[in-house]
């Protein structure tokens, strides 16, 4: 009994640590099922593609639907609660009861995916791309303004949204060509996909670390005042010059640890 209890505890800890990934995968699978309702003779569907970028990294795109009406690039967000944000905000907010969580603006995120696709497919026709952000039906939108560069909808609205675009922008030859290029990005071997995914995550972390080093010495991201180098019990760190009103701190870029 004790052994079973320990296994259960370990299982629950693993689930908790990987909850976001699991939930994201569930959302992507739900969208996969929904997109299968599209006419296969008119639309071609691609899932979970790693698109190479100019800097050697990759853009992980949840779903791509191609047709003579254009290329629909879909970012899936399997989120609950209230969703706040605007087109030009870097961070959006998810509110569940009194708990608030930040998420990177998915419109900006998908814009990066589209740019990577444009470069990979050698396409300079931005009007051929349609950006769609698809949230779970359990989310409630609290947006104060309309979006101009993307459609932000819920899963059940996907088919209607895609079919609402009725003006052809791609010829049959162009469509066949880009489908061939996207087919090359499909990964059927699990081990190979695991390696590519690991490399993708590693590149993201590397970029974040470089960004943190470059930004050291700039203004405080919370209040806008200057960051200053301070001496602490656990080493040097950067703190806001507005202390004690603002308590923002950041580790010294040389890697010495400090206590926030």
């Amino acid at each position: 009994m004790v052994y079973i209890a320990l296994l259960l505890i370990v299982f629950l800890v693993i689930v908790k640590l990987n909850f976001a990934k699991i939930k994201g995968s569930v959302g992507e699978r739900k969208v996969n099922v929904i997109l299968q309702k599209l006419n296969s003779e008119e639309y071609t569907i691609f899932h979970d593609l790693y698109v190479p970028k100019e800097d050697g990294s990759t853009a992980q795109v949840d779903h791509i639907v191609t047709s003579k009406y254009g290329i629909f690039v879909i970012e899936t967000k399997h989120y609950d609660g209230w969703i706040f944000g605007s087109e030009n905000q870097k961070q959006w907010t998810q509110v569940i009861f009194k708990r608030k969580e930040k998420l990177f603006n998915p419109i900006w995120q998908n814009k990066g995916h589209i740019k990577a696709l444009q470069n990979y497919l050698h396409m300079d026709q931005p009007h051929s791309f349609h950006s769609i952000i698809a949230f779970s039906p359990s989310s409630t939108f609290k947006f104060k303004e309309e979006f101009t560069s993307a459609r932000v909808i819920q899963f059940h609205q996907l088919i209607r949204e895609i079919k609402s675009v009725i003006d052809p922008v791609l010829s049959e030859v162009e469509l066949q060509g880009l489908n061939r290029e996207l087919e090359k990005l499909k990964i059927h071997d699990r081990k190979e996909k695991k390696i590519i995914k690991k490399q993708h995550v590693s590149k993201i972390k590397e970029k974040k670390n470089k960004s943190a080093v470059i930004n050291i010495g700039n203004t405080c991201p919370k209040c806008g005042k200057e960051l200053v180098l301070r001496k602490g019990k656990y080493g040097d760190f950067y703190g806001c010059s507005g202390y004690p009103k603002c308590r923002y701190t950041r580790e010294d870029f040389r890697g010495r640890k400090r206590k926030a």
Side-chain angles (χ1 to χ4, degrees):
M1 289 295 291
V2 174
Y3 179 71
I4 294 173
L6 286 172
L7 283 177
L8 181 60
I9 290 170
V10 171
F11 173 75
L12 291 173
V13 169
I14 292 172
V15 170
K16 187 175 181 180
L17 290 173
N18 293 279
F19 182 72
K21 291 181 182 178
I22 294 169
K23 194 172 183 182
S25 297
V26 170
E28 288 178 23
R29 282 198 293 272
K30 285 184 177 181
V31 171
N32 288 351
V33 173
I34 291 170
L35 292 177
Q36 296 306 318
K37 296 176 184 177
L38 289 167
N39 184 345
S40 60
E41 293 182 4
E42 197 169 13
Y43 300 92
T44 305
I45 305 163
F46 299 90
H47 302 296
D48 195 25
L49 297 187
Y50 289 84
V51 183
K53 296 168 72 174
E54 292 178 322
D55 62 1
S57 62
T58 53
Q60 189 269 326
V61 186
D62 293 340
H63 317 274
I64 300 171
V65 177
T66 64
S67 71
K68 64 182 179 181
Y69 310 110
I71 304 168
F72 300 86
V73 185
I74 304 164
E75 174 63 25
T76 302
K77 296 297 180 188
H78 194 29
Y79 283 31
D80 303 323
W82 291 356
I83 307 297
F84 294 85
S86 67
E87 196 151 6
N88 298 314
Q89 273 184 304
K90 184 178 181 179
Q91 299 286 339
W92 285 15
T93 305
Q94 174 196 28
V95 180
I96 302 177
F97 298 108
K98 292 184 179 181
R99 182 168 60 87
K100 293 183 179 181
E101 298 288 344
K102 295 291 183 182
L103 63 145
F104 182 69
N105 185 333
I107 294 177
W108 291 13
Q109 183 182 6
N110 218 32
K111 192 178 288 185
H113 295 166
I114 290 173
K115 184 179 179 182
L117 280 166
Q118 285 178 315
N119 290 332
Y120 173 72
L121 297 170
H122 305 292
M123 293 182 67
D124 57 358
Q125 309 108 301
H127 64 280
S128 298
F129 290 85
H130 306 282
S131 179
I132 300 176
I133 316 300
F135 277 86
S136 164
S138 55
S139 63
T140 302
F141 297 153
K142 294 291 182 178
F143 307 129
K144 294 182 178 179
E145 55 190 36
E146 292 290 328
F147 301 111
T148 58
S149 60
R151 291 286 295 148
V152 182
I153 59 175
Q154 293 181 324
F155 293 172
H156 62 278
Q157 298 171 305
L158 264 170
I159 300 298
R160 185 177 63 189
E161 179 61 33
I162 291 171
K163 287 187 173 182
S164 70
V165 182
I166 57 175
D167 295 323
V169 293
L170 295 170
S171 69
E172 190 62 33
V173 173
E174 288 174 319
L175 186 57
Q176 289 177 0
L178 68 89
N179 281 342
R180 281 196 298 270
E181 291 302 312
L182 292 175
E183 282 286 344
K184 294 176 185 178
L185 298 178
K186 280 187 175 181
I187 307 168
H188 301 285
D189 184 76
R190 280 190 172 187
K191 288 183 179 179
E192 184 185 355
K193 191 160 192 173
K194 192 173 182 180
I195 292 170
I196 291 175
K197 185 175 182 179
K198 189 175 181 180
Q199 291 172 341
H200 172 74
V201 173
S202 178
K203 284 286 186 181
I204 291 174
K205 289 181 179 178
E206 188 180 315
K207 278 186 177 181
K208 285 183 178 179
N209 291 336
K210 284 182 179 178
S211 178
V213 170
I214 292 170
N215 289 332
I216 282 176
N218 290 346
T219 56
C220 172
K222 285 192 173 181
C223 70
K225 292 188 177 180
E226 185 183 355
L227 292 179
V228 294
L229 184 64
R230 300 184 188 277
K231 299 283 185 181
K233 183 179 178 181
Y234 297 93
D236 296 350
F237 67 94
Y238 284 86
C240 180
S241 58
Y243 179 87
K245 286 186 177 181
C246 178
R247 296 177 178 271
Y248 177 81
T249 59
R250 181 162 59 199
E251 195 171 282
D252 182 358
F253 76 96
R254 287 164 290 188
R256 287 180 288 182
K257 293 183 178 179
R258 48 75 181 170
K259 188 175 181 180

